Amino acid sequence: FDSVLHGKEGVEYLRQTEDREWIQDFDSTYVSPENGQDVRTTLDINIQDIADEALRKQITETDEIEGGCVVVMDVATGAIRAMVNLYRDGNSMDFEEVSNLAIGRAIEPGSVFKTVTLMQVLSDGFITSLDETIPTNHGVIKGVRSVPQDVHMLDHERVHKTNSISIIDGFKISSNYVFGTLAVSNYGKKPMRFVENVHSYHLAEAFDFDLDGLATPTVPSPNDKNRYWSMSDLAVNGYGYGIRVTPLHVLSFYNAIANKGKMMKPYLVEDIELNGVVKNKKGPALMSTICSKAVADTITRALKAVTEEGTARRLKDARCTVAGKTGTSFGTYAGGSYRDESGRRKYQGTFVGFFPAEDPRYSVICTVFSKPTSKQFQGGGIPARAIKSLVNGIYCIDPCFQPTLSASK
């Protein structure tokens, strides 16, 4: 928006007097300068401050963090109320706003993508209830050899002494086996249907956004002649690997769930004004309806279970009910390895969700990126703690959360 804000320079010709002073030459053409226009953003400065403080407090506690981002979106409209990007440039220990990680970095989303698989099997009618069960099969996905055994299933079998698990329990513990199995067993014979669903959720496109630099997602396809595709691709895609999307894409998807299936286009600019007069009105825009209200409500139930009993339990005692999902993925090194020569990993931990869960007003995502490290950084750790602080902060300032006091007689 630099050209909008800058305006146009004027032209004034000068001539020199006998006293060698410069004055305007009225015999030459004079062009008046034009003031630049004003850009009114959707940002709420109070929420921006809360988001910045919440993220900064969590990531400055350890040297292993490279950077992180937080985005807060208005559920009903898609208006972005806060967008914080903090990054350590080079060997600096200070976090600065030098790179828009929320839109410019397409990453493997990890387990937050399991919600995408859940929406598919619900919308396509493969499951009708979260309480349906599948065999645990010792954590091994049938028909897929190259995917690691899921230790969550081994623990589930040992603790509960059972050979089956419900969909909602698999979601709460974030089982790769459950969602890899759902993808393979239901889309193994028609994998393009899985890919087409991802496209229909706008998770495979760099949609038009107010800021330049929105990275294009990567979604593997059986029809791609430039790469080998196998059933293991479908399995790992089912639980969030092999696919690359930006945090903003993930947030837009979850915002649609909070909005009963209606996906709003994220926007950062409300309008462009000149001398207080609106010249170009932006505002809300519906991208599409990606699921039914019934499916959105069912997924919301699953997301609430994650914060109440699952991997995001630290949000259980937030000032209002939060529905959401944690996710962890790993950065790659040369040759596609997830570990460097010293055995260290680069972690990307994410929490994404919305609140209040019963009547969502805001959706939010926090993604934190680590440097190569031997420590573990999970989505249920730093990101969840940052979101809890943010939720509590917004709860205290937003009038919609405050009870209405009736006058007593």
Side-chain angles (χ1 to χ4, degrees):
F1 292 93
D2 182 66
S3 61
V4 174
L5 294 164
H6 184 74
K8 295 181 180 179
E9 296 181 1
V11 177
E12 180 183 73
Y13 291 91
L14 303 178
R15 66 179 180 83
Q16 200 171 33
T17 66
E18 295 178 354
D19 296 329
R20 307 185 69 80
E21 295 181 359
W22 290 99
I23 62 173
Q24 181 179 348
D25 184 356
F26 291 98
D27 292 332
S28 300
T29 302
Y30 173 81
V31 180
S32 299
E34 295 182 14
N35 291 331
Q37 300 181 86
D38 298 321
V39 176
R40 184 181 297 277
T41 73
T42 60
L43 296 175
D44 182 310
I45 191 60
N46 294 317
I47 297 178
Q48 180 79 10
D49 282 345
I50 291 170
D52 183 281
E53 181 179 359
L55 177 61
R56 196 179 293 271
K57 181 179 179 181
Q58 293 299 324
I59 62 179
T60 53
E61 294 178 353
T62 174
D63 295 340
E64 280 85 1
I65 297 300
E66 178 187 52
C69 63
V70 171
V71 183
V72 180
M73 189 183 297
D74 185 82
V75 167
T77 65
I80 293 174
R81 300 307 182 196
M83 179 176 277
V84 177
N85 293 277
L86 301 177
Y87 184 76
R88 281 185 173 130
D89 196 6
N91 295 322
S92 172
M93 295 304 295
D94 297 325
F95 286 101
E96 300 177 357
E97 291 187 322
V98 296
S99 177
N100 197 320
L101 304 173
I103 72 170
R105 184 175 288 195
I107 58 173
E108 289 183 318
S111 293
V112 296
F113 202 81
K114 289 169 182 170
T115 309
V116 177
T117 301
L118 182 59
M119 180 178 287
Q120 295 199 44
V121 294
L122 285 167
S123 297
D124 289 340
F126 292 119
I127 66 171
T128 58
S129 170
L130 295 174
D131 299 312
E132 292 182 26
T133 62
I134 63 173
T136 55
N137 200 38
H138 307 305
V140 178
I141 302 173
K142 290 184 177 180
V144 181
R145 297 181 178 180
S146 57
V147 175
Q149 185 180 33
D150 186 352
V151 296
H152 289 299
M153 282 301 92
L154 298 177
D155 291 340
H156 180 81
E157 291 175 338
R158 176 177 52 82
V159 172
H160 298 280
K161 295 180 173 56
T162 180
N163 59 359
S164 66
I165 185 171
S166 67
I167 304 301
I168 193 166
D169 283 341
F171 196 71
K172 286 189 291 187
I173 66 174
S174 202
S175 166
N176 288 351
Y177 164 78
V178 169
F179 287 88
T181 295
L182 287 175
V184 170
S185 62
N186 294 302
Y187 299 97
K189 295 182 179 180
K190 45 183 177 181
M192 274 306 300
R193 174 64 180 173
F194 184 94
V195 176
E196 288 165 358
N197 284 338
V198 174
H199 279 260
S200 72
Y201 303 154
H202 303 280
L203 290 168
E205 64 182 59
F207 49 76
D208 181 38
F209 184 58
D210 293 333
L211 300 181
D212 291 336
L214 181 63
T216 301
T218 301
V219 179
S221 168
N223 294 341
D224 189 351
K225 298 180 180 179
N226 296 320
R227 70 183 299 275
Y228 175 75
W229 192 92
S230 70
M231 198 61 66
S232 63
D233 288 291
L234 180 58
V236 299
N237 289 171
Y239 54 79
Y241 281 82
I243 289 174
R244 295 182 179 274
V245 293
T246 72
L248 185 63
H249 282 87
V250 175
L251 178 60
S252 300
F253 174 79
Y254 276 77
N255 192 81
I257 297 170
N259 202 28
K260 306 303 182 184
K262 295 180 179 179
M263 179 173 280
M264 304 304 295
K265 179 178 176 291
Y267 70 103
L268 189 64
V269 174
E270 201 71 66
D271 59 50
I272 296 173
E273 305 173 3
L274 180 62
N275 299 324
V277 178
V278 175
K279 296 296 184 179
N280 186 357
K281 179 69 176 175
K282 301 288 186 176
L286 176 67
M287 295 177 70
S288 67
T289 299
I290 64 172
C291 72
S292 67
K293 179 181 180 297
V295 168
D297 288 341
T298 300
I299 295 175
T300 298
R301 176 195 163 199
L303 295 172
K304 287 175 64 178
V306 171
T307 59
E308 292 171 356
E309 308 171 47
T311 56
R313 287 188 299 274
R314 65 178 68 250
L315 283 157
K316 184 177 181 179
D317 60 346
R319 298 293 295 274
C320 68
T321 307
V322 182
K325 185 75 182 72
T326 61
T328 306
S329 58
F330 309 105
T332 56
Y333 298 90
S337 172
Y338 286 114
R339 295 184 185 272
D340 66 6
E341 296 178 351
S342 301
R344 299 176 302 175
R345 293 182 185 269
K346 291 185 293 185
Y347 287 86
Q348 290 116 29
T350 299
F351 178 86
V352 58
F354 46 85
F355 62 97
E358 299 78 11
D359 185 18
R361 179 174 176 83
Y362 298 108
S363 60
V364 61
I365 189 169
C366 175
T367 299
V368 173
F369 306 91
S370 83
K371 300 175 182 178
T373 178
S374 299
K375 296 182 180 180
Q376 291 189 0
F377 293 93
Q378 310 291 338
I382 290 175
R385 291 198 298 268
I387 293 302
K388 181 180 177 180
S389 177
L390 180 144
V391 169
N392 290 345
I394 294 178
Y395 179 90
C396 293
I397 68 166
D398 194 318
C400 80
F401 294 111
Q402 307 309 315
T404 302
L405 301 178
S406 57
S408 60
K409 293 183 179 180

